[in-house]
Amino acid sequence: MSEPDIDYSEPISVVEYDPAWPDRFEREAARLSDALAELDVRRIEHVGSTSVPGLAAKDIVDVLVVVPDEDVGWDCVDRLESVGYEFFREWDEPDGRLELGRWPEDGQRFNLNVRFEDGDGWRRNLLLREYMRDHPEAREDYEAVKRDAAARHADEPVEYTKAKSDVVQEILDDARAAGYDERI
C-alpha cells in the first residue's frame, strides 16, 4: 500500500462537538464489520471524545475493536490494512493494543485501537464514554482540561495526553464508584 498523505506534525486542535461524528462512526463500523466478518471480533465501539455528545474534541473519530487475544488482533491488522488502514504501532502496556489509522478522501480521520478482551483498556474507554454521557459536570471538567492541554502542548502529543491523565483517572474512579462497570 502506498503511503497516505498524512501530516504527522499537525498541531493538536480541539474543535466544537460535531453532531455528524456518530453517523460517521456508524458508516465506518459497517465497513469494519464487513472487513472483519470472519474473525472473532467481540465489539466495535465508538469511543473517545467524539463519542460523547456535546464534548469538544480533536476531529478524529476513535474506534475500539475488542478481540479475544493477540493472534486475532494481528489478523485484524491484516484485514484492516487491506481496506485502507495504516498500522502505526503496537503499544507495550499491561493489556496491550494495536493502533491503526485511516484518512479517507472526505477528510474525516479515524483512529482505531484493537484491544484484547482480557485487558482493562477497552473497559476504561467505555467507562469514560458512558459516565461523561450521563454526567455533564464530568464532561465540562474534561473539556476544560483538554482545551488547556491543547493550548499548552499543541505540538507535544505525549505531554497533551499526560496533562489529561489526572482528570481521566478522577472520572474513571467516579464511574466505578457509581457502578458503571456493570453497564459495560
Side-chain angles (χ1 to χ4, degrees):
M1 176 183 349
S2 64
E3 282 293 311
D5 184 20
I6 301 170
D7 181 3
Y8 292 100
S9 64
E10 185 176 306
I12 294 168
S13 175
V14 174
V15 299
E16 294 302 317
Y17 178 77
D18 184 342
W21 285 331
D23 291 334
R24 291 178 186 153
F25 165 76
E26 290 299 330
R27 285 192 302 274
E28 192 68 6
R31 285 183 77 249
L32 294 169
S33 291
D34 289 344
L36 303 173
E38 296 157 12
L39 299 177
D40 188 6
V41 172
R42 305 291 168 90
R43 301 175 91 129
I44 298 175
E45 298 276 354
H46 186 190
V47 295
S49 296
T50 62
S51 72
V52 180
L55 180 60
K58 295 181 291 181
D59 188 16
I60 301 171
V61 173
D62 289 316
V63 180
L64 171 69
V65 174
V66 180
V67 297
D69 56 43
E70 191 172 350
D71 290 338
V72 177
W74 285 109
D75 290 341
C76 286
V77 169
D78 291 340
R79 295 279 181 89
L80 293 168
E81 286 180 327
S82 76
V83 295
Y85 275 83
E86 177 182 349
F87 177 73
F88 292 144
R89 66 187 146 247
E90 177 178 12
W91 287 86
D92 184 24
E93 53 188 31
D95 58 347
R97 67 179 152 146
L98 307 170
E99 184 178 9
L100 301 95
R102 186 170 93 82
W103 285 257
E105 290 181 15
D106 70 3
Q108 179 60 64
R109 295 186 200 181
F110 295 93
N111 186 58
L112 186 145
N113 282 271
V114 177
R115 294 268 192 174
F116 313 126
E117 193 171 42
D118 65 348
D120 191 47
W122 66 273
R123 288 179 186 87
R124 288 189 307 268
N125 279 278
L126 296 181
L127 283 171
L128 283 170
R129 178 189 75 190
E130 294 304 306
Y131 194 80
M132 285 194 291
R133 282 178 175 176
D134 291 348
H135 294 85
E137 69 284 356
R139 185 173 58 242
E140 290 165 9
D141 290 347
Y142 185 57
E143 182 174 317
V145 169
K146 283 172 58 93
R147 289 185 183 279
D148 180 65
R152 290 186 299 121
H153 305 291
D155 297 316
E156 304 168 299
V158 172
E159 294 303 314
Y160 168 78
T161 300
K162 283 181 185 177
K164 300 183 304 172
S165 63
D166 287 344
V167 72
V168 166
Q169 189 58 55
E170 287 172 18
I171 294 169
L172 286 171
D173 291 344
D174 290 346
R176 287 188 170 114
Y180 274 70
D181 278 315
E182 296 167 16
R183 295 174 65 169
I184 304 304

